[in-house]
Amino acid sequence: MSVHSVKLVTIGENLLASNDQAAAHNRDRLSEARVLALNLMASPGAGKTSLIVGLLGALQGRAQIGVIEGDIAGSIDTEKVVAAGAYDAVQINTGGNCHLEANMVERALIDLDLASLDILVVENVGNLVCPTHWALGEHLKLCLVSTAEGDDKPIKYPEIFAISDVIVLNKMDLIELVDFDRDFFYESVRALNPKAPIFEVSCRTGEGLAAWAEWLLSRREELLCVSPS
Amino acid sequence: MHELSVMAYLLESVEERAQKIGATKVTAINLVIGERTSIVDDSLLYYFDMLTPGTVAEGAQLAVRRTTMRFHCVGCDADYHPSGFDFKCPHCHTVGAVTSDGSELLIESLEIET
């Protein structure tokens, strides 16, 4: 008869540690190439692709921008950002997965000419829950939310607001039409995240996009120690 | 929604650990999962049963210790769980600041046979 020894082994490690390691590796590659990487997270229809198109317009001639488009299916967004002036764009189709993971971004980085880029925007799959756990190798996490979605998003999806480095509130041109309580929204966001700057924009009218784009450039200078262009 | 991916990472990590520490079998996996992760236990168990056959964790017990999201009220010097309607302190109705409680996503320990 064989004798088994049973024992309890303490681990105390993040369940997604292997993804975190892959993300750290991606971030090192991007930092070395002086490419500021942004993880753009939002619900479907908040205006993720429109925000990228707005950024391309605002920084035209001042920064080379690459895009990784994460979608369950299709490549319509990649075509849009290339038409709007993205230096390079790569599509990742997750085939049903509700978020991007670091190893998917690692494969996409192979197809990008990092030496020519200043900023890489990774557009995550439209979802306010799942992307929060998977670091991709970004320097900044951006939570995009729109007035049309309602002022209660921070109450319902607290984590994405808590972990983001910057919050962009889109569709400001609709605010009067959709009963969005601005004070309640700010109060809830500040309870979760006292520091992240909040930019109010309208990708349709262009309002606020320049201020956000300038902020992003200044963060690149600080985080990657590059001089202003 | 994301429980399938979480389970796949968990089992990969458990396999790796088991090999490293010379375990022939994993009999229990103890997790700590916070409310802020929005991970649903039933969904996790569903994928656990689906993915464990043929692995070192086949037949193991999956135990999940849950933690809740807490806010801190400076005025009351107390932590509280929000109502679900807003983030106000239930006593003084001012808005507190979120703490790190409830954001855990940890493998706490493994019970193994060697």
Side-chain angles (χ1 to χ4, degrees), chain A residues 5-9 11-15 18 97 99 101 129-130 133-134 154-155 159 162 184 187-188 191-192, chain B residues 1-2 5-6 9 17 36-38 84-87 95-98 105-114:
Chain A
S5 144
V6 178
K7 60 181 173 184
L8 189 71
V9 183
I11 308 285
E13 187 182 82
N14 184 339
L15 200 155
S18 64
N97 214 349
H99 57 270
E101 298 175 9
V129 177
C130 313
H133 307 310
W134 276 270
I155 307 289
E159 188 67 357
F184 179 65
E187 170 193 290
S188 310
L192 295 164
Chain B
M1 205 165 166
H2 45 327
S5 305
V6 168
Y9 273 87
R17 285 280 172 168
R36 287 170 57 172
T37 65
S38 302
F85 294 100
D86 55 38
F87 292 145
V95 179
V98 79
L105 184 54
L106 293 177
I107 306 173
E108 192 168 45
S109 60
L110 298 176
E111 204 179 276
I112 58 158
E113 284 181 7
T114 53

Side-chain angles (χ1 to χ4, degrees), chain A residues 21-34:
Chain A
Q21 281 160 16
H25 179 70
N26 289 345
R27 189 161 38 245
D28 287 348
R29 280 194 60 193
L30 290 156
S31 298
E32 265 169 44
R34 298 284 182 265

Side-chain angles (χ1 to χ4, degrees), chain A residues 33-44:
Chain A
R34 298 284 182 265
V35 179
L36 180 84
L38 191 65
N39 181 357
L40 171 50
M41 303 178 289
S43 57

